[in-house]
Amino acid sequence: MSSNLRTYSAKAFGLGLCLLLAGLIGGEVTCVAASVDKSKLPPAATKAADFIQDIQPIFEKSCYGCHGPEKQKGKYRLDVRETALKGGDTGPNIIAGKSADSPLIHYVSGLVEDMKMPAKGDALTAEQIGLLRAWIDQGAQWPEASGTVAVGSKKSHWAFQPPKRPAIPTVANGRWPRNPIDSFILAKLEQNELRPSPPVDKATLIRRLSFDLIGLPPTPEEVGQFVKDRRADAYERLVERLLDSPHYGERWARHWLDVVRFAESNGFETNTPRPNAWPYRDYIIRALNADKPYTQFVLEQLAGDAMGEDAATGFIVGGPWDEVKSPDVNLTLQQRNDELHDMVATTASTFLGLTVGCARCHNHKFDPISQTDYYAMQAVFAGVQHGERPLRTKDYEQRKQEAEKMEQFLAGLDEKLEGFEPLACMTVNGQTNLPLRAPVNARRNVERFAPVSAKLVRFTILATSNLEPCIDELEIFSAGENSRNVALATNGATATASGTYPNSDIHKLEHINDGRYGNGRSWISSEIGKGWVQIEFPQTYSIDRIVWGRDREQKYSDRLATNYVIEVATEPGKWQVIASSQDRKPYGSGSKIEADYAQTLSANETVELHSLLQQAEEARQKVKQWNTRPTVYAGMFLQPGVTFRLYRGDPLQKREQVTPGALEEFGPKTELTVTTPEWQRRLALARWVIDPQNPMTARVMVNRIWQHHFGEGLVSTPSDFGLNGARPSHPELLDWLALEFQKSGWSIKAMHRLIVLSNTYQQSSRPNAESSRVDAAGRLLWRFTPRRLEAEPLRDAILSASGKLDFKMGGPGFDLFEPNNNYVRVYNSKKEFGPGEFRRMIYQTKPRMQLDDTFGAFDCPDAGQIAPRRNSSTTPLQALNLLNSSFTMQQAGFLAERLQRDAGADAKAQVRRAFRLLFAREPSSEEITRSLKLIKEQDLFTFCRAMLNANEFLYVF
């Protein structure tokens, strides 16, 4: 090969195919991640490119393993030597060292019928085939034995390098920078022969800052005070006041909820509401207001259940969930993999700015993320299920202790009540002269009998209330003063059964005698309406009492054994019946114990029994009260099984087992195994994300903060910092901010403070024709770019102007849709609004894939997918909604009433008050004249409608 170096694209060819191309064009090839434009290739390379595309079916058959093939616009990627040579079901197409035996050579030589290569145009020349044969005979060598895409590509990408602290640039205009941000910005401006804009006026600045930090307009009084404040630190004081405002968390929570695709319904065809998803929203608001270190913020959202922040894991299950399952195992598996894909992809895009989801079916086409990496992250979340769980409140530990005390007291009462339980008696033909015992109940049933020797106890169920029978715990007590539960596995007892409910993590045979109560630790038979369970002791005991129940926690009452027999034996096969259901009243008869046992009790015993029963009922109610906790849609966690890499992402095509972990090429290694407890997997991933060695985390977050202050991030693709994302406009500034973020203790408020105190942020937004010719988009930040308010602060600003805004924080949200309980939920926007809908829009109960008729037109994300950056469109529907919707018409009326209250009957005073409320400034004389004319010709209501539709109200300048 010649020594000249030519560069072509790995996107189409991959490493091995680049080598084939090198052989065909007679040069060495460096693979880089870039789009192929065949019009720019020399003729020989174009021929080779066509050839590469023609052999796509061959490579598709031969490619096997984690680097599965992917078609995209007629291109094929194969970039790992090991898998290329290993091949698939039909074997490899390239046999290194043996070109004569390589199917590829047979195809291009025309030796195989119906397999012409290339399919179009002339066949390869003998010289070209010879080059291919020579390459194969020489071992089909790849430049890098590691199997990664070669040369100057993935690992060297700027975002994958640790941030380095740059020197603060020296600038010609040394008086302008107020902090290092300004120096970086000004240096780039001077390189492009641009100058920064002058400072903005104070009235505009307070309005800009107020909307940026708290999402609300300043009051006219606040504007007046700031404009008149001549103290040198007046602006710094304003910044601190707004950062300390509880409304700061409300404003910035909305940005975060966009990024993480949060909504309060499931999506898909039923789109069922999630009435308890809102605590996650409130958690975000609280965390931001408290300036919780970003590292802690990340930890809690991935493993908050292990850190006392249950609501925080609402992040993991914040996406759509298909609740309608299918009997088709293939579809059900696909649904589950889609759920896990959402968790993996959202975690990566949110915290890392990486499109890890692209590695679900194959290695990432651009970034150093293997398919194995993808499934390692999936294994981290494999135990997470959509659903609700109890929310630990601030008094959780106190309530828990109180409940435990009361449960101990109740256990003592139960023991006393057992003394009133009559002995089980054996009936003759179902007849007995003794009073029948109480009917079975789901909570707790006692079987008392004369002491009997037993090494084996068998509980046989003959009928149930419904379905397969369930017992949460079978307790067998020894006779005598030192009575104890000899059935416990910890005492050496072993359990066997007729069969156990299959494929369940909570219904297992070992739960029958583990000493723990409740449905979550129970045994269920494998047969409907029947089954038996047996306990064998390590030695023979004298026993006199058995206690059993369906669910001592009283959450479930189904699957109750209603017809049963209990037998004992000292040796196998010699069974003796000691109790049964025959001497109990029929299930569901609802009798009371006092009445059942009145015939056998003395008057004093009856009084004592009544007192014990009353105490027990009160104790049960208190236990229930202490144990009752609100629930949160923040996921349920179970220890997962084994995760496999899926060939082409197909859940029916499992390949090798994958251990839980993170991305191999980023940050430190994670030391996890297939047996690592579920919560520790998520905690380990979170710690990997926030590790200082991870080059992505700090950069991604400071870029998000910058984006919402200036309208666009330093990286304009905020959730994609990979090779396919945008390059930073100011890379040194981005690194400096990332390191300052870490230095500050990962304080988000410190980053706000740094940004808004810069002169860059305080520039005027006025356009400049000369600067616009050089940088029309304003990416170099020679001015503050005006931007329209998003839907939420726009609605809040309207309510604030009208005087109707309700500042109530937290709790369940308000609904902008008419209520209905259809199975397939219907979302029709409300047409009438009252005080209940006048809260800040962050508290709207947000359904997925549904936007309200008025503000949904203002580019609100529908939470169908992540929205790291909102669009900003201008449409006729937006103008029509603001002018004519029932909401804005109503609020215009309220605004008119407020102007009359605040300014009296004087129209000129009303106009001036309106300008202060909506525009944070005084009107000009011309504006007063025109406004008075409108009010006179129309009315104050029309004037208010016009003011709410003015660009100056809709935009931040």
Side-chain angles (χ1 to χ4, degrees):
M1 295 184 183
S2 64
S3 60
N4 62 310
L5 181 66
R6 300 180 184 180
T7 301
Y8 299 109
S9 169
K11 181 177 179 182
F13 306 133
L15 180 55
L17 301 188
C18 280
L19 287 171
L20 293 177
L21 177 59
L24 289 175
I25 66 174
E28 296 178 3
V29 175
T30 298
C31 296
V32 296
S35 299
V36 173
D37 184 354
K38 291 197 294 184
S39 66
K40 297 181 180 179
L41 297 179
T46 302
K47 171 80 171 179
D50 290 336
F51 161 71
I52 294 300
Q53 293 180 9
D54 283 335
I55 64 172
Q56 174 179 319
I58 306 305
F59 282 102
E60 184 172 302
K61 291 180 181 178
S62 67
C63 186
Y64 171 85
C66 65
H67 304 278
E70 178 184 329
K71 299 177 181 178
Q72 183 179 359
K73 298 181 180 178
K75 300 171 183 176
Y76 182 82
R77 178 174 182 237
L78 180 64
D79 60 6
V80 177
R81 178 181 187 275
E82 288 73 13
T83 56
L85 298 183
K86 182 177 180 180
D89 297 336
T90 62
N93 290 307
I94 300 173
I95 303 175
K98 297 180 180 180
S99 65
D101 296 332
S102 296
L104 173 62
I105 299 301
H106 301 167
Y107 299 139
V108 299
S109 300
L111 300 179
V112 180
E113 289 188 39
D114 301 323
M115 192 60 76
K116 180 185 177 184
M117 288 284 169
K120 299 178 181 180
D122 298 333
L124 295 185
T125 66
E127 181 182 2
Q128 289 171 325
I129 295 173
L131 285 172
L132 282 174
R133 293 195 62 167
W135 174 66
I136 294 173
D137 286 335
Q138 292 170 18
Q141 293 298 313
W142 267 250
E144 293 185 2
S146 66
T148 59
V149 171
V151 198
S153 55
K154 296 185 176 181
K155 293 184 182 178
S156 61
H157 180 57
W158 69 268
F160 305 156
Q161 312 309 309
K164 296 180 180 179
R165 184 171 290 277
I168 306 300
T170 301
V171 294
N173 182 4
R175 291 178 299 175
W176 188 73
R178 182 170 182 174
N179 65 27
I181 289 176
D182 298 327
S183 296
F184 286 105
I185 296 300
L186 184 57
K188 188 65 77 77
L189 290 176
E190 290 180 346
Q191 288 173 16
N192 290 270
E193 299 182 350
L194 295 172
R195 295 190 305 272
S197 296
V200 70
D201 66 272
K202 293 184 74 173
T204 303
L205 180 59
I206 185 176
R207 187 174 187 271
R208 175 191 299 174
L209 186 69
S210 186
F211 273 117
D212 269 8
L213 291 184
I214 68 172
L216 293 169
T219 66
E221 293 70 29
E222 289 169 339
V223 174
Q225 290 172 5
F226 177 63
V227 169
K228 295 176 183 177
D229 192 340
R230 302 303 177 191
R231 290 176 293 184
D233 63 346
Y235 182 59
E236 286 82 352
R237 290 170 179 265
L238 173 64
V239 170
E240 294 306 317
R241 178 173 67 79
L242 293 175
L243 286 175
D244 288 341
S245 168
H247 303 307
Y248 157 78
E250 294 173 325
R251 170 58 162 155
W252 282 81
R254 183 64 265 165
H255 297 317
W256 185 260
L257 297 180
D258 283 1
V259 171
V260 305
R261 51 54 176 131
F262 172 78
E264 295 171 75
S265 69
N266 290 336
F268 292 93
E269 65 270 24
T270 57
N271 208 7
T272 306
R274 297 174 180 174
N276 293 311
W278 59 265
Y280 173 70
R281 171 249 292 155
D282 281 5
Y283 159 78
I284 298 297
I285 294 172
R286 288 197 312 274
L288 292 172
N289 277 335
D291 197 21
K292 189 166 287 190
Y294 185 65
T295 48
Q296 187 73 10
F297 192 54
V298 174
L299 285 168
E300 289 174 353
Q301 290 184 75
L302 291 174
D305 54 306
M307 309 178 76
E309 280 288 0
D310 286 310
T313 57
F315 162 79
I316 305 175
V317 293
W321 177 57
D322 192 353
E323 64 179 319
V324 181
K325 303 305 179 186
S326 169
D328 182 345
V329 64
N330 187 22
L331 180 56
T332 300
L333 288 172
Q334 188 65 49
Q335 287 174 311
R336 177 56 180 161
N337 274 273
D338 287 345
E339 294 170 16
L340 294 173
H341 175 79
D342 172 71
M343 299 174 194
V344 171
T346 304
T347 298
S349 64
T350 298
F351 301 121
L352 304 173
L354 291 173
T355 55
V356 172
C358 293
R360 180 178 184 177
C361 305
H362 53 82
N363 281 5
H364 201 290
K365 293 179 73 68
F366 304 105
D367 301 335
I369 303 168
S370 70
Q371 194 188 20
T372 301
D373 284 344
Y374 172 89
Y375 285 99
M377 285 188 67
Q378 190 191 89
V380 169
F381 296 109
V384 181
Q385 299 283 342
H386 275 261
E388 296 182 354
R389 70 174 192 274
L391 176 66
R392 281 174 290 186
T393 54
K394 291 181 179 179
D395 60 349
Y396 167 74
E397 291 299 331
Q398 178 188 351
R399 297 176 68 88
K400 181 180 177 182
Q401 292 173 7
E402 293 293 338
E404 289 173 351
K405 290 179 184 178
M406 194 56 61
E407 285 170 347
Q408 292 175 3
F409 177 67
L410 180 59
L413 293 176
D414 283 337
E415 288 185 10
K416 292 179 180 180
L417 285 168
E418 288 171 7
F420 291 90
E421 182 78 27
L423 298 179
C425 64
M426 298 303 99
T427 63
V428 179
N429 297 323
Q431 301 296 320
T432 177
N433 293 325
L434 296 175
L436 291 177
R437 294 189 294 153
V440 294
N441 66 86
R443 176 180 172 265
R444 191 173 187 272
N445 300 282
V446 179
E447 314 287 346
R448 291 181 63 233
F449 40 83
V452 59
S453 295
K455 192 173 188 299
L456 299 163
V457 176
R458 184 168 67 188
F459 192 119
T460 303
I461 301 159
L462 305 173
T464 65
S465 59
N466 65 338
L467 303 173
E468 301 91 341
C470 177
I471 297 177
D472 70 347
E473 188 74 11
L474 185 59
E475 300 173 294
I476 306 171
F477 293 90
S478 58
E481 293 183 2
N482 298 318
S483 178
R484 65 189 179 101
N485 180 10
V486 294
L488 286 170
T490 53
N491 288 333
T494 57
T496 54
S498 56
T500 300
Y501 196 79
N503 304 320
S504 174
D505 292 324
I506 62 174
H507 304 301
K508 296 182 176 181
L509 178 60
E510 56 262 37
H511 294 167
I512 194 70
N513 63 335
D514 64 355
R516 298 172 64 180
Y517 302 145
N519 182 72
R521 302 282 300 186
S522 62
W523 167 79
I524 293 184
S525 170
S526 59
E527 302 175 89
I528 293 179
K530 59 182 179 179
W532 58 263
V533 63
Q534 177 179 297
I535 303 294
E536 182 174 359
F537 310 129
Q539 65 187 63
T540 299
Y541 290 106
S542 176
I543 62 173
D544 64 359
R545 181 165 44 102
I546 293 175
V547 180
W548 62 277
R550 159 61 178 102
D551 179 12
R552 311 300 166 91
E553 295 178 344
Q554 294 184 275
K555 295 178 180 178
Y556 294 87
S557 59
D558 60 346
R559 303 177 184 272
L560 177 62
T562 57
N563 188 0
Y564 61 89
V565 174
I566 302 176
E567 304 164 282
V568 298
T570 54
E571 57 183 278
K574 295 185 178 181
W575 295 104
Q576 172 189 351
V577 176
I578 56 170
S580 74
S581 57
Q582 291 186 11
D583 65 336
R584 287 188 179 276
K585 288 187 176 182
Y587 167 65
S589 59
S591 61
K592 294 184 177 181
I593 292 179
E594 296 99 315
D596 292 337
Y597 304 153
Q599 300 177 35
T600 60
L601 299 178
S602 67
N604 289 337
E605 290 174 328
T606 300
V607 171
E608 182 183 1
L609 173 62
H610 180 77
S611 174
L612 288 172
L613 289 172
Q614 186 175 6
Q615 292 179 64
E617 178 59 27
E618 291 174 355
R620 277 193 289 271
Q621 291 301 320
K622 289 181 179 179
V623 168
K624 183 177 180 181
Q625 175 185 342
W626 287 119
N627 282 330
T628 298
R629 289 187 282 159
T631 58
V632 57
Y633 196 98
M636 301 176 293
F637 307 116
L638 302 172
Q639 185 63 22
V642 176
T643 296
F644 298 91
R645 186 182 58 79
L646 303 181
Y647 179 62
R648 297 189 179 183
D650 184 350
L652 296 182
Q653 298 195 59
K654 294 180 179 178
R655 293 298 189 258
E656 72 278 2
Q657 181 176 311
V658 179
T659 57
L663 308 181
E664 284 292 322
E665 300 295 340
F666 299 84
K669 303 299 181 184
T670 53
E671 303 296 334
L672 298 174
T673 68
V674 294
T675 61
T676 300
E678 190 280 332
W679 67 270
Q680 290 183 13
R681 300 180 182 202
R682 291 181 284 110
L683 186 58
L685 177 64
R687 286 173 173 160
W688 173 85
V689 168
I690 64 174
D691 192 285
Q693 295 181 49
N694 193 318
M696 310 301 297
T697 310
R699 280 191 181 117
V700 169
M701 187 55 188
V702 296
N703 188 67
R704 295 195 194 281
I705 297 170
W706 185 276
Q707 169 191 339
H708 294 300
H709 282 300
F710 291 100
E712 187 167 27
L714 295 169
V715 176
S716 61
T717 52
S719 287
D720 186 2
F721 275 47
L723 274 81
N724 213 31
R727 292 190 63 84
S729 60
H730 298 73
E732 294 82 7
L733 173 57
L734 181 62
D735 274 11
W736 185 83
L737 287 169
L739 293 172
E740 285 296 303
F741 190 30
Q742 296 179 21
K743 182 180 177 181
S744 73
W746 299 81
S747 167
I748 295 175
K749 286 188 177 181
M751 291 298 100
H752 289 304
R753 191 176 292 112
L754 193 61
I755 291 170
V756 301
L757 289 177
S758 70
N759 279 334
T760 302
Y761 179 81
Q762 298 177 60
Q763 292 180 96
S764 168
S765 63
R766 290 187 177 278
N768 177 295
E770 182 179 346
S771 298
S772 294
R773 281 193 292 270
V774 177
D775 178 30
R779 288 289 283 151
L780 298 179
L781 298 171
W782 53 269
R783 69 163 178 155
F784 182 88
T785 303
R787 61 184 185 273
R788 194 188 65 208
L789 292 173
E790 311 100 286
E792 293 85 356
L794 174 57
R795 185 180 190 272
D796 295 347
I798 292 173
L799 287 166
S800 177
S802 70
K804 295 297 182 180
L805 182 60
D806 181 355
F807 289 99
K808 176 186 175 183
M809 295 183 65
F814 66 91
D815 207 335
L816 289 177
F817 297 90
E818 298 291 350
N820 74 90
N821 293 312
N822 295 0
Y823 172 70
V824 176
R825 198 56 57 106
V826 177
Y827 291 91
N828 293 317
S829 292
K830 289 182 176 179
K831 303 301 181 186
E832 297 181 359
F833 307 92
E837 289 83 40
F838 292 165
R839 297 176 67 190
R840 295 197 69 178
M841 200 172 176
I842 184 70
Y843 297 114
Q844 178 211 350
T845 299
K846 185 176 178 62
R848 201 177 307 278
M849 308 299 293
Q850 297 290 334
L851 301 173
D852 79 284
D853 286 349
T854 302
F855 294 94
F858 287 87
D859 306 301
C860 265
D862 62 12
Q865 56 187 353
I866 62 171
R869 179 182 175 185
R870 291 192 182 189
N871 295 324
S872 184
S873 63
T874 302
T875 68
L877 186 59
Q878 294 166 353
L880 290 170
N881 282 349
L882 276 186
L883 193 62
N884 299 320
S885 71
S886 57
F887 177 81
T888 50
M889 294 280 280
Q890 177 194 48
Q891 296 304 313
F894 289 147
L895 176 57
E897 293 173 2
R898 178 180 184 178
L899 296 179
Q900 290 171 332
R901 287 196 308 272
D902 291 357
D906 180 24
K908 185 176 181 180
Q910 293 169 354
V911 169
R912 296 186 65 182
R913 181 63 173 168
F915 270 75
R916 294 190 196 113
L917 284 170
L918 276 71
F919 300 162
R921 66 173 177 84
E922 292 289 337
S924 67
S925 58
E926 182 181 0
E927 287 170 332
I928 292 176
T929 300
R930 291 186 176 185
S931 298
L932 292 175
K933 181 180 179 183
L934 176 61
I935 294 172
K936 182 178 180 180
E937 293 178 353
Q938 299 292 327
D939 51 27
L940 183 59
F941 170 72
T942 303
F943 166 73
C944 291
R945 289 175 67 193
M947 292 289 286
L948 293 174
N949 278 266
N951 274 349
E952 191 170 352
F953 177 69
L954 302 177
Y955 277 76
V956 172
F957 294 94

